[in-house]
Amino acid sequence: MTTNPNVSGSLRNRLVLTLIGGAAVLAVLLFFAVRNYAAQVAQQGQDNILEASVTSILDAAALRDGVLEVDIPYAAFSMLTTPTDDRVFYAIYQDGVFLSGYEDLRLAAAPAQSDWSFTSGELRGERIRQVSASRTLVGLGRQTEIEVVLGQTQDALSRTLDQISRNAAFLGLGFFLLTAALSFWITSTTIGQLNKLTTSVTRRGPQDLSPFKKPVPREMAPLVMSLNSLMGRLDQSLSQSEDFIAEAAHRVRTPLATVRSYAEATLHRVERKENREALRAMVRAIDESSRAAGQLLDHAMITFRTDHLVREDVDLVELIRDLVQRLTPIAEMKELSLSMTGDPTVPYSGDPILIQNAVRNMIDNALKYAPLDSTVEIEITGKPEIKVSDSGPGFLPEEIETLTRRFERGKNAAGTIGSGLGLTIAQDVAIAHGGTLVLTNQPSGGACVILSL
Amino acid sequence: MKFLLVEDNLDLANAVSSRMRLDGHVIDHASNLEDATAFVETEEYDLILLDIMLPDGDGRDFLKRHRASRLDTPVIVLTARSQVSDRIGSLDLGADDYVTKPFDHAELEARCRAVLRRKSGSAKSTIEIGGVVFDPVAGHLTVAGETLSLRNRELRMMELFINAPGHVFSKQKLADRLFSYDDSVTDNAIEVYVGRLRKHLEPSDLKITTLRGLGYRLDHDH
């Protein structure tokens, strides 16, 4: 009955993916930002030490008797000590001429434009940071330029950096996990509001078309509003069509009733055989059409109710007793009796209107075919099962399969009035309650219809 | 029996009334709720036949008011509306039974009888002629101090005869009264029922005379 909606994507997935994707990007950015900043700070630290070291070397340089003397202070190197024993290289130049140290250090250094120049490079297969600075010495009318280049490997620095990177990675991962958890939580609370609305729509009874009154978040108000207006329109059109059917039935049946009553009254005054036959045929035709109309309406109502089965607790015995009491006058008219046997109470959960209608059709059927002065037996057992049997001609074995089809009537039904819907209705009701309708013949003759619920 | 028929369709009301009078009942007809209320306030009825759709309101409202004012006159609802839910609704409102239009008059009559029988053992409806007491509601016939229950068709035949003693009923008339339209009736069947009634009436002053070629008549020997 319900058509599955055309599903495209999931709001929850989309939200979660967007939030988690965003968190991942942010976490990676955070990682790089922290690492870069740490690297900068660490580099700055190394540079500062190198600078201090070079400064102390330059300070120690002096022109003595026109000769350059550089006495490298012990502190200049001791301050460069690191836990990883980084190696230190130095080179001293005077006016661009190599004086002492590692001559190849100069090659790696860019010519110093300013006073201080920091560069990273490679020396003897190791990454180094080097700093070069120069100082002009003046003495005895002579001016000379001393340049000091100091390089240091970066083992300690890269170890620190590795440590910081690891910590930054942990930080990023933690941030990511926290954000992911948050986004799951946010998504489910947001979707939860929608689910709550869905549940309250689903849990409504089929007849409940009243508007929603419970508070909803502002963003969902338009949805609820359009839902309410849709239900309002549905309710209106349903009650309109119900009224229409009732009115239509009234308009059709009242004149039919008039015709029938007149035909009956006339029959009492008319003597000629042909006229009487015509009147009888008329009455029969009216009965046939009104019965068919009634059964069709019943069938439509029953189809609706079986589609939206609402179960309530009933006592089958009490339910059927009411029905039997109501049908007794009809049975009496035909000099038939109805007898009811079985358990004293049979509690069951089902739709009482549907069950009564099904059994009514079964009894109607039996009354139609039962011979004069016989008894139609109704038995209710706790299975629960309702069995209606008569002592009429029974079903033709080859027709048993087809009799429950719509508008299908047995061959021996020719002389009786019926629409061919009675057993169809009974079967529909049985199926809606998860049961069956079984048509059999009794060993002693006569039909037996069993409704198992 | 005195009936109130509340029905706005005049043709139908006339047809039902004339048929009911034929059976010896008294019928008042109201074509709207206002008239019906006025009738109920001034007269006492054995049974009310109530249509649901009336020009000035819903018959069920009348039913509700009727039950609220503690009047226990039985009510049979005549409904033309969609079948199941409506019928059950009227029963919940206090109707004793319902008949769906168009109805078989014999069914209406059977239902009236059943409702009256349920509501009261009312002795006021009995007819007494020639030492025979007939209670059409209970379906009892008392002959020479002995009460017996009549089967449905015997009862209806007896009702017909006893309401019009001395009147000749043709076999056809009797068949119309006793059998529904989809029953196949043989003349023999009528003779069977006449035979049964004769046997019941044997100890009394009443007898059913056969008028060859014309039909049957209930006679009262003095």
Side-chain angles (χ1 to χ4, degrees), chain B residues 50-62:
Chain B
L50 178 67
D51 186 21
I52 292 284
M53 280 189 176
L54 290 160
D56 58 345
D58 194 313
R60 284 171 294 191
D61 293 336
F62 174 82

Side-chain angles (χ1 to χ4, degrees), chain A residues 243 245-247 249-250 253-258 260-262 264-265 267-273 276 280 283-284 286-287 290 294-295 297-298 301-302 305 325-330 332-336 353 356-357 360 368 372-373 415-417, chain B residues 7-12 14-16 18-19 22 51 53 79-85 87-88 91 97-107 110-111 114 117-118 151-154 156 170 172-173 175-178 180-183 185 193 196:
Chain A
D243 286 351
I245 289 176
E247 182 69 26
H250 181 78
R253 287 169 169 223
T254 304
L256 271 180
T258 312
R260 196 190 193 286
S261 298
Y262 272 121
E264 260 192 275
L267 194 58
H268 286 272
R269 288 195 290 270
V270 172
E271 298 291 342
R272 275 183 63 187
K273 199 168 167 34
R276 295 180 58 82
R280 280 173 162 278
V283 171
R284 263 202 301 272
I286 292 165
D287 283 355
S290 69
Q295 292 280 69
L297 283 172
D298 270 7
M301 196 271 316
I302 275 153
R305 287 186 87 104
Q325 192 190 33
R326 203 189 122 63
L327 288 173
T328 301
I330 293 186
E332 277 179 358
M333 273 166 57
K334 303 188 171 194
E335 308 260 283
L336 297 170
I353 292 181
Q356 246 191 6
N357 207 286
R360 190 203 151 95
K368 254 187 273 173
L372 211 66
D373 277 331
T416 59
I417 291 171
Chain B
E7 165 65 63
D8 64 324
N9 184 305
L10 285 182
D11 286 332
L12 179 61
N14 285 338
V16 174
S18 63
R19 178 64 207 266
L22 209 68
D51 186 21
M53 280 189 176
T79 171
R81 311 231 313 187
S82 70
Q83 307 235 318
V84 186
S85 49
R87 292 188 301 220
I88 287 163
L91 289 187
D97 207 343
Y98 51 82
V99 177
T100 315
K101 290 179 191 174
F103 43 82
D104 184 346
H105 197 89
E107 185 191 335
R111 295 209 173 278
R117 201 161 48 205
R118 269 212 306 274
R151 305 291 304 270
N152 185 269
R153 287 196 176 108
E154 298 168 11
R156 287 191 308 204
S170 66
Q172 275 172 350
K173 277 243 164 78
D176 290 344
R177 187 76 166 76
L178 264 52
S180 73
Y181 296 87
D182 50 337
D183 291 330
V185 189
Y193 286 104
R196 286 193 196 166

Side-chain angles (χ1 to χ4, degrees), chain B:
Chain B
M1 292 279 124
K2 194 165 182 183
F3 290 77
L4 174 64
L5 172 65
V6 188
E7 165 65 63
D8 64 324
N9 184 305
L10 285 182
D11 286 332
L12 179 61
N14 285 338
V16 174
S17 305
S18 63
R19 178 64 207 266
M20 287 255 170
R21 289 193 186 107
L22 209 68
D23 295 340
H25 301 299
V26 176
I27 294 250
D28 282 339
H29 170 227
S31 52
N32 53 45
L33 290 180
E34 201 189 325
D35 290 359
T37 312
F39 271 120
V40 171
E41 276 166 3
T42 50
E43 298 275 334
E44 209 170 296
Y45 294 97
D46 294 303
L47 191 81
I48 299 173
L49 299 172
L50 178 67
D51 186 21
I52 292 284
M53 280 189 176
L54 290 160
D56 58 345
D58 194 313
R60 284 171 294 191
D61 293 336
F62 174 82
L63 186 60
K64 253 187 277 181
R65 283 202 301 275
H66 183 70
R67 288 288 176 248
S69 55
R70 294 169 182 273
L71 290 169
D72 61 351
T73 319
V75 174
I76 293 182
V77 165
L78 309 176
T79 171
R81 311 231 313 187
S82 70
Q83 307 235 318
V84 186
S85 49
D86 228 47
R87 292 188 301 220
I88 287 163
S90 350
L91 289 187
D92 287 344
L93 286 176
D96 295 274
D97 207 343
Y98 51 82
V99 177
T100 315
K101 290 179 191 174
F103 43 82
D104 184 346
H105 197 89
E107 185 191 335
L108 177 63
E109 200 187 295
R111 295 209 173 278
C112 291
R113 206 193 311 274
V115 164
L116 288 169
R117 201 161 48 205
R118 269 212 306 274
K119 280 275 165 171
S120 58
S122 65
K124 60 180 174 180
S125 63
T126 53
I127 302 165
E128 199 176 339
I129 304 177
V132 171
V133 182
F134 176 56
D135 183 345
V137 172
H140 291 157
L141 189 69
T142 311
V143 183
E146 206 171 311
T147 303
L148 47 98
S149 282
L150 295 181
R151 305 291 304 270
N152 185 269
R153 287 196 176 108
E154 298 168 11
L155 169 66
R156 287 191 308 204
M157 188 181 261
M158 190 64 209
E159 204 175 26
L160 209 59
F161 280 129
I162 213 159
N163 277 317
H167 186 92
V168 180
F169 293 96
S170 66
K171 273 191 181 177
Q172 275 172 350
K173 277 243 164 78
L174 291 173
D176 290 344
R177 187 76 166 76
L178 264 52
F179 295 93
S180 73
Y181 296 87
D182 50 337
D183 291 330
S184 48
V185 189
T186 57
D187 285 356
N188 191 34
I190 302 294
E191 279 162 27
V192 168
Y193 286 104
V194 169
R196 286 193 196 166
L197 278 189
R198 274 190 178 136
K199 209 174 156 209
H200 294 326
L201 294 172
E202 224 161 60
S204 75
D205 293 340
L206 294 182
K207 66 169 188 186
I208 297 170
T209 318
T210 308
L211 301 163
R212 204 157 290 280
L214 289 175
Y216 302 93
R217 185 180 65 199
L218 184 72
D219 287 329
H220 185 188
D221 293 343
H222 290 285

